[in-house]
Amino acid sequence: MCCFHPEVESVSKTRIFARSGNNGRQYLVYAMTKSSVKDVAMILPLPVPANSPEDALKFISFKEYPAFFDFLDSCFPKPKSAPEPARELPKRALAVVEVGDFEASFVPSVKDFDRLDERFRIPPTTWDALPVKGFGFAVFKLKRGAQNVHPMAFDFPRADPSKLFFPTIHIHDGKVHATAAFDHVLYCQTREGERLEIQDWEESPQPASQCVLVGKTKDVVDGERHLYRRFVVGDRKNEDIRV
């Protein structure tokens, strides 16, 4: 799920990487192109364990690796024809941290939104129509105008360590729509012994270290394992993806 507050004019070219970490955690890297008249907050609801502490999520700066997703794509043979792009469419304050070009915060639960920096704050009632019970929220401040956003990365504890979570629900205009136009590419890696439902994903012919600058990913990418890729393009049910 990706929510913007206030609304944005357009969002496209969304790319998400996910990999299981240690102790039931998950790495997630997110990038997209967006255009907005005002500064906006991008909010990623995440299925974290109940009562997760404020430091449960660890932000990771990818400022020095803005082309990360281009390197991931280089691991795969160039497709004969690329998919068509989709249509654009008084409590103690929580910490705000610098992560590359962003300011970011982790909100442990919906009830903690009134502790968030006022620039990022969104009314808790916004979540009433969404399946976010028990979720925490990664919040990034993005500047106004058109931007190719450098990758936003973090790792977080999962409520269900058996699944990789991709936040793909769209809320770009303040409303929850049953269907949405997708323009996403998803990437993942598996761990030894992990069984994910990725039978229909494209597998890279070589391990990641042969095409990705693994050291720049700060352990997010496992250089010894292959990558998997899936295009999610066009009109489809507006929901998060788990594998």
Side-chain angles (χ1 to χ4, degrees):
M1 184 183 307
C2 176
C3 312
F4 288 90
H5 179 70
E7 66 183 72
V8 292
E9 294 179 302
S10 66
V11 178
S12 62
K13 299 180 181 177
T14 300
R15 296 183 286 182
I16 308 172
F17 171 83
R19 181 173 77 86
S20 294
N22 295 325
N23 303 316
R25 298 179 69 86
Q26 178 185 315
Y27 293 107
L28 194 140
V29 188
Y30 193 106
M32 80 292 183
T33 297
K34 70 90 188 165
S35 178
S36 63
V37 175
K38 302 178 180 179
D39 292 355
V40 297
M42 189 190 82
I43 303 165
L44 298 176
L46 305 166
V48 298
N51 303 314
S52 291
E54 295 174 22
D55 61 354
L57 183 146
K58 307 296 183 184
F59 291 105
I60 304 167
S61 176
F62 265 48
K63 182 177 181 179
E64 303 305 320
Y65 204 6
F68 169 66
F69 284 104
D70 294 332
F71 279 77
L72 290 189
D73 278 328
S74 72
C75 292
F76 298 88
K78 191 172 182 179
K80 294 180 180 179
S81 58
E84 290 294 323
R87 298 190 304 271
E88 290 191 15
L89 300 171
K91 297 178 183 177
R92 181 170 57 85
L94 291 167
V96 176
V97 299
E98 299 284 340
V99 188
D101 288 339
F102 310 114
E103 290 181 317
S105 293
F106 174 60
V107 182
S109 68
V110 170
K111 64 182 176 61
D112 291 303
F113 263 95
D114 63 354
R115 301 170 55 206
L116 186 65
D117 187 298
E118 289 186 4
R119 297 169 299 166
F120 296 171
R121 197 172 297 174
I122 187 170
T125 53
T126 303
W127 310 112
D128 290 348
L130 296 170
V132 295
K133 184 177 180 181
F135 277 41
F137 304 82
V139 183
F140 296 85
K141 180 187 176 184
L142 308 178
K143 295 181 180 179
R144 71 189 70 185
Q147 287 181 293
N148 290 313
V149 178
H150 83 60
M152 295 165 276
F154 51 86
D155 77 278
F156 64 97
R158 290 172 289 177
D160 181 1
S162 69
K163 299 283 187 180
L164 284 181
F165 175 78
F166 294 86
T168 51
I169 286 181
H170 301 25
I171 305 178
H172 298 167
D173 60 0
K175 301 176 183 177
V176 182
H177 300 278
T179 61
F182 280 68
D183 185 12
H184 290 53
V185 188
L186 310 182
Y187 309 81
C188 73
Q189 287 184 298
T190 61
R191 287 172 63 92
E192 187 70 35
E194 187 175 42
R195 307 183 78 173
L196 302 177
E197 297 177 4
I198 54 174
Q199 293 81 4
D200 58 342
W201 292 51
E202 178 184 7
E203 182 179 359
S204 66
Q206 68 282 310
S209 60
Q210 293 189 24
C211 44
V212 176
L213 302 177
V214 175
K216 284 195 170 186
T217 72
K218 303 175 183 178
D219 295 326
V220 171
V221 172
D222 184 339
E224 297 183 0
R225 300 192 69 81
H226 288 218
L227 290 153
Y228 295 84
R229 181 175 68 176
R230 176 187 174 192
F231 290 92
V232 183
V233 178
D235 292 336
R236 56 174 287 146
K237 186 176 180 181
N238 194 13
E239 62 184 359
D240 292 321
I241 293 174
R242 293 172 170 83
V243 297

